[in-house]
């Protein structure tokens, strides 16, 4: 049972570098999400996608772009990484009000 | 402006006793509430939910209570076990924000529960 799979699990970047976090779900869910979790801040929504071909900004979208490649995959891109983007990133998909999360990707920007 | 507040960053209880985790919200339009549990180095997992038309929902050792007039919900764990030690997130959903099947949840900051043997 794969559920929601994120890659990579860990990444260290230098300021200004770019990278893409990949996410795939095998539950045939329409909606997918990217959250970030920071100490003392809980989970904050970056972007979400209600269905294939649509994406919308969440609470903290600045500095990020997303692509809903198909129903299964939803990627998050950092074009020019900044230290403020050091965080743990969670991808999720949803069904009937319940979110299913991946294991997280820990990103450090030096 | 926090719409979902968990004012206790941490809670410590003895094994076998009751754990009570609290959550307050400000938006009276929220109509669905969830609790998620998160272990270190893992993604959050769904624990229990409650609709705004109910005031209580029970699932084994876990019970969620909703007080709409006070805009307050709580999660009770009885009896608490060491394996319950985790961070618990309260979340709320706004049905009117429902866009083409997208359920946007607003999360609290979390409460770290430690159950001591």
């Amino acid at each position: 049972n794969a559920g929601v799979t994120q890659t990579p699990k860990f990444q260290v970047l230098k300021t200004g570098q770019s990278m893409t976090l990949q996410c795939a779900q095998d539950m045939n869910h329409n909606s997918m999400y990217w959250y970030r979790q920071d100490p003392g801040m809980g989970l904050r929504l970056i972007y979400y996608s209600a269905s294939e071909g649509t994406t919308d900004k969440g609470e903290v979208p600045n500095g990020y772009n997303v692509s809903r490649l198909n129903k299964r995959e939803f990627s998050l891109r950092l074009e020019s990484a900044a230290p403020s983007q050091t965080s743990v990133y969670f991808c999720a998909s949803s069904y009937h009000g319940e979110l299913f999360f991946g294991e997280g990707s820990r990103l450090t920007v030096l | 402006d926090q719409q979902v507040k968990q004012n206790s960053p941490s809670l410590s209880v003895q094994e076998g006793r009751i754990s009570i985790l609290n959550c307050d919200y400000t938006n009276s339009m929220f109509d669905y509430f969830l609790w998620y549990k998160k272990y270190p180095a893992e993604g959050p997992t769904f624990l229990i939910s409650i609709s705004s038309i109910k005031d209580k929902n029970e699932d084994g050792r876990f019970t969620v209570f909703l007080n709409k007039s006070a805009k307050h919900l709580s999660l009770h764990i009885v009896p608490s076990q060491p394996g319950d030690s985790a961070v618990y997130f309260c979340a709320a959903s706004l049905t009117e924000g429902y866009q083409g099947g997208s359920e946007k949840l607003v999360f609290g900051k979390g409460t770290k529960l430690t159950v001591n043997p």
Side-chain angles (χ1 to χ4, degrees):
Chain A
N1 292 341
V4 179
T5 304
Q6 295 179 228
T7 55
K9 287 187 166 38
F10 300 94
Q11 184 72 51
V12 178
L13 291 175
K14 293 182 180 178
T15 297
Q17 287 185 316
S18 62
M19 78 154 298
T20 300
L21 297 175
Q22 307 287 353
C23 176
Q25 52 95 6
D26 62 2
M27 295 174 282
N28 203 36
H29 291 164
N30 285 322
S31 301
M32 297 186 72
Y33 310 79
W34 276 104
Y35 284 88
R36 60 179 287 175
Q37 184 195 8
D38 301 292
M41 297 297 290
L43 290 156
R44 293 183 293 170
L45 182 64
I46 305 171
Y47 269 94
Y48 69 99
S49 171
S51 61
E52 183 180 351
T54 68
T55 61
D56 284 286
K57 295 178 180 179
E59 181 185 356
V60 288
N62 291 344
Y64 305 96
N65 286 304
V66 290
S67 295
R68 183 72 183 270
L69 304 170
N70 47 56
K71 192 171 186 179
R72 289 187 65 248
E73 298 173 290
F74 188 38
S75 62
L76 179 72
R77 183 162 178 83
L78 286 71
E79 289 291 351
S80 179
S84 61
Q85 293 178 303
T86 293
S87 187
V88 180
Y89 292 84
F90 290 99
C91 178
S93 64
S94 72
Y95 180 75
H96 282 197
E98 181 183 337
L99 287 175
F100 298 81
F101 286 89
E103 293 186 343
S105 299
R106 183 174 292 274
L107 176 65
T108 301
V109 183
L110 303 175
Chain B
D1 180 27
Q2 263 188 285
Q3 295 189 70
V4 177
K5 301 178 184 179
Q6 293 177 257
N7 291 321
S8 298
S10 63
L11 174 67
S12 182
V13 300
Q14 285 299 121
E15 181 178 6
R17 307 294 285 268
I18 184 171
S19 295
I20 300 176
L21 294 92
N22 293 304
C23 178
D24 297 294
Y25 61 95
T26 57
N27 190 339
S28 58
M29 299 303 290
F30 285 138
D31 63 356
Y32 190 56
F33 304 89
L34 307 90
W35 285 94
Y36 281 80
K37 177 179 181 179
K38 185 184 179 306
Y39 292 118
E42 295 184 10
T45 55
F46 170 75
L47 187 59
I48 192 169
S49 64
I50 187 166
S51 166
S52 61
I53 63 173
K54 296 185 176 181
D55 54 20
K56 176 183 175 181
N57 188 26
E58 191 171 353
D59 183 2
R61 296 185 298 112
F62 303 91
T63 303
V64 56
F65 295 92
L66 176 63
N67 182 334
K68 289 192 293 293
S69 61
K71 297 192 184 70
H72 176 83
L73 64 156
S74 60
L75 175 68
H76 292 210
I77 306 173
V78 183
S80 300
Q81 299 173 354
D84 296 328
S85 296
V87 176
Y88 289 79
F89 291 100
C90 172
S93 175
L94 189 64
T95 301
E96 288 187 8
Y98 204 85
Q99 280 186 313
S102 174
E103 298 91 347
K104 289 200 296 181
L105 297 183
V106 179
F107 285 86
K109 293 184 177 182
T111 297
K112 183 177 182 180
L113 173 66
T114 302
V115 180
N116 301 302

